[in-house]
Amino acid sequence: MTELVLPTAADVDAAARVLAPVAVRTRLITSPALDALTGGRIFLKPEVLQRTGSFKFRGAYNKLSSIPQAARKAGVVAFSSGNHAQGVAAAAQLLNMPAVIVMPSDAPVSKIERTKSYGAEVVPYDRDKEDRDAIARDLAAKRGATVVPPYDDPWVIAGQGTVGRELAEDFATLGTAPDLVSAPASGGGLMAGIALATKAKFPSASLMTVEPYGFDDHARSFAAGHREPHRAIGRTICDALMASIPGEITFAINQKLGVKGVTATDDEVAKAVAFAFRELKLVVEPGGAVALAALLAGHIDARGKTVAIVLSGGNVDADLYAKLIQ
């Protein structure tokens, strides 16, 4: 059995240096309305304002930057329902590398089109009948390209960890500390990176993943003490959060650092998307709003606490968004 290579807070620091010239530093924002509703002091990390509209650009760029120059001509292959796809495509464009993205045929049209707009080749697949990992690895083998996983990779996790590093820096500047930091989870790379950076600066902070109801593989896994798949049948409006089981590396980090997990229903997520539109004037996609949804629904108890919530992405089809904000 191969021993897992786990990234560290130092790797997150190194990723921050790589990303400094290209990534958007998203500053924490507050909302008096949100504080009043929850009884806490709430800070929001708006990764909807990040390059490509989600935090995924951070991990993608850090990973692609780690590829040796000699291997860059063959390009990269990734698989994603949309946000990782756009992150990889944009990073590849900036680094002048070819990119092929394996995307589900039912992914939001806006995500498919935006991925193509960065110059990437999109290969569609049926997520119910085909194995995206196998398709991607076959393409990479034929082209000599590098596979860029969406979450279970030390370089990707370190890049996503810059979300937590910036968050910790902002709290330090404010002269306060977070009691709880919460973020959406699919494969767990965002929270794993955030956990590394946050615990390095604020060891007593609690950490919590939020998933769509039923798609609760992280919550199940944390409770069981080992990786467990979810038991969901069908779909969720949180199309970005449908991974079936936590990553090996991501789970090892999150379990070690004491992360807990909760869920939010699609109805609660829809209300959070509408709240972000109405009160925050931010466009947040369902998957990006799931932690906010858990907060608003009371699944995260913020009373008397300082809480940071990551709004992880804002890439949503206009038709769905119009329905949600009504």
Side-chain angles (χ1 to χ4, degrees):
M1 182 176 175
T2 304
E3 186 177 349
L4 293 179
V5 177
L6 304 184
T8 65
D11 294 317
V12 177
D13 292 340
R17 292 189 288 272
V18 171
L19 285 163
V22 291
V24 175
R25 196 192 195 294
T26 56
R27 301 281 179 180
L28 291 177
I29 59 175
T30 59
S31 163
L34 196 51
D35 290 353
L37 277 172
T38 62
R41 190 180 182 198
I42 312 302
F43 293 85
L44 303 168
K45 181 71 167 166
E47 282 295 288
V48 298
L49 304 178
Q50 185 52 253
R51 202 161 187 155
T52 74
S54 93
F55 75 95
K56 287 286 193 177
F57 173 75
R58 296 173 182 266
Y61 191 87
N62 194 51
K63 173 65 175 177
L64 266 63
S65 295
S66 76
I67 298 171
Q69 286 290 340
R72 293 188 181 186
K73 187 178 290 186
V76 293
V77 178
F79 46 89
S80 165
S81 65
N83 286 337
H84 180 59
Q86 292 174 73
V88 172
Q93 186 179 61
L94 287 170
L95 294 167
N96 198 29
M97 298 167 65
V100 180
I101 315 294
V102 180
M103 298 186 72
S105 53
D106 63 348
V109 174
S110 61
K111 292 184 177 181
I112 294 172
E113 292 306 313
R114 282 175 60 87
T115 300
K116 290 179 178 178
S117 75
Y118 294 114
E121 175 189 347
V122 172
V123 175
Y125 78 100
D126 184 331
R127 74 165 100 207
D128 292 321
K129 298 177 181 177
E130 296 181 286
D131 183 343
R132 66 181 189 173
D133 187 283
I135 294 169
R137 294 190 185 284
D138 183 56
L139 285 168
K142 289 176 179 176
R143 302 181 185 211
T146 301
V147 175
V148 183
Y151 48 84
D152 219 21
D153 177 274
W155 297 93
V156 171
I157 293 168
Q160 319 305 26
T162 59
V163 171
R165 187 179 189 273
E166 291 175 6
L167 188 151
E169 287 176 345
D170 283 357
F171 273 113
T173 299
L174 291 167
T176 188
D179 295 306
L180 172 69
V181 178
S182 182
S186 182
L190 175 60
M191 180 49 80
I194 288 174
L196 289 171
T198 302
K199 285 291 190 179
K201 301 285 174 60
F202 300 107
S204 63
S206 296
L207 302 162
M208 185 169 288
T209 59
V210 186
E211 300 165 285
Y213 180 78
F215 295 79
D216 56 347
D217 44 290
H218 280 82
R220 285 173 176 266
S221 299
F222 296 144
H226 55 83
R227 294 196 304 148
E228 284 272 350
H230 62 65
R231 302 285 188 261
I233 298 173
R235 295 282 188 268
T236 166
I237 60 172
C238 304
D239 65 278
L241 306 182
M242 291 169 61
S244 61
I245 191 168
E248 287 187 81
I249 300 173
T250 61
F251 180 72
I253 294 168
N254 287 327
Q255 183 185 41
K256 180 181 178 181
L257 296 179
V259 180
K260 304 298 182 186
V262 297
T263 64
T265 66
D266 276 6
D267 184 56
E268 290 164 347
V269 170
K271 291 175 181 176
V273 170
F275 178 89
F277 167 73
R278 250 187 354 263
E279 300 292 341
L280 309 176
K281 312 309 176 189
L282 290 174
V283 175
V284 188
E285 67 183 277
V290 72
L292 176 62
L295 176 71
L296 290 170
H299 306 314
I300 295 173
D301 182 7
R303 289 171 296 179
K305 299 176 183 176
T306 298
V307 177
I309 299 288
V310 179
L311 305 175
S312 58
N315 296 311
V316 55
D317 276 346
D319 289 346
L320 174 60
Y321 188 68
K323 291 176 184 176
L324 295 176
I325 62 175
Q326 291 173 22

